Amino acid sequence: MATPSSPFSFLDDLFNRIGERLQPPAWAVHETQHRAVLFLNHVLQQEPEAQQRLLRQQGRVVRFQWRFVTMDLVATPAGLLDLAPAGSVPELTLTVTDESPFELARATLRGGKPSVQIIGDVQLAAEVNWLVDHVRWDVEDDLARLVGDVPAHTIANGARRVVEALRQFAGGRKPPQAGGPSTGSASTAE
C-alpha cells in the first residue's frame, strides 16, 4: 500500500517548476534585496543591543541562501546591514535546507526555525543566531504611528489571535518526523 503524500505536494511541485522557469530580471532582484535591507535596518534600529553586536562584526559578509534565492549582507560601521559588494567572499553561509515554502510556513507558524546548513565562522553564526532569537519587529509601534495607539493595539490583538489560531491549526497536523527535530543547524564547518 502506498504512503499518502502531502496535499501540498502538488503545490510544491508547481512552485518548483515555476521557480525553475521564471527567473525575475536582475533589476527586480536587486530592488527586492534593497527593500529587504531597508526593512531589516528599520527593525535593527529599534534594538540598540543588536546594533552593538553588528558593529563588532563590521565588514564581515554573510550569505543567505534558499533554493534559487541568494543574498549577501555585510555589517556596516553604523551597526546596520547593507548588500555586500559583488564578488565579496562570505565568511558565513547559511542555507535553508527546507525546500518547500509550505513547510517553511508551517514551521514558522509553529514558532520554530527552519533547518539551516551552516558553513563558515562559528562565532559569526552565533551572533546571527542571537539576532534571529532576540530581534523582533514591533508592528504595533509602527502601526500606532499611522493610526494611533488604541486602533493599533486593537488591530495587533486581533492579528495575534489569528496567528495563534493558525499556530494551533498547523500544530495539530504535524507530519511524521524521522530522526529528530526539524529546527536547528544541519551541519557546521569552519
Side-chain angles (χ1 to χ4, degrees), residues 9 44 49 52 71 86 91-92 107 128 149 165:
S9 63
L44 287 168
E49 174 66 21
Q52 289 300 317
M71 188 158 89
E91 295 180 48
L92 175 65
V128 171
D149 289 338

Side-chain angles (χ1 to χ4, degrees), residues 63 72 83-89:
R63 173 172 289 157
D72 292 345
L83 291 176
S88 296
V89 177

Side-chain angles (χ1 to χ4, degrees), residues 109 154-170:
L109 285 173
T154 304
I155 292 168
N157 278 341
R160 279 190 280 275
R161 281 190 226 117
V162 168
V163 168
E164 185 57 36
L166 287 172
R167 233 180 227 150
Q168 288 176 356
F169 176 76

Side-chain angles (χ1 to χ4, degrees), residues 7 15 20 26 40 48 53 58-60 66 70 73 77 84 93 101 108 110 118 122 130 133 146 168 179 189:
F15 186 79
E20 290 170 0
L40 291 171
R53 286 175 175 264
Q58 117 182 6
R60 300 183 81 186
W66 178 65
T70 300
L73 297 176
T93 301
T108 302
R110 287 183 183 149
I118 302 169
V122 176
W130 186 93
D133 285 345
L146 295 173
Q168 288 176 356

Side-chain angles (χ1 to χ4, degrees), residues 131-153:
L131 292 171
V132 170
D133 285 345
H134 293 90
V135 177
R136 295 286 177 262
W137 178 28
D138 190 353
V139 181
E140 188 173 335
D141 186 50
D142 283 346
L143 192 57
R145 290 182 191 141
L146 295 173
V147 298
D149 289 338
V150 174
H153 183 70

Side-chain angles (χ1 to χ4, degrees), residues 5 14 22 123 136:
S5 64
L14 181 64
L22 296 178
Q123 290 178 336
R136 295 286 177 262

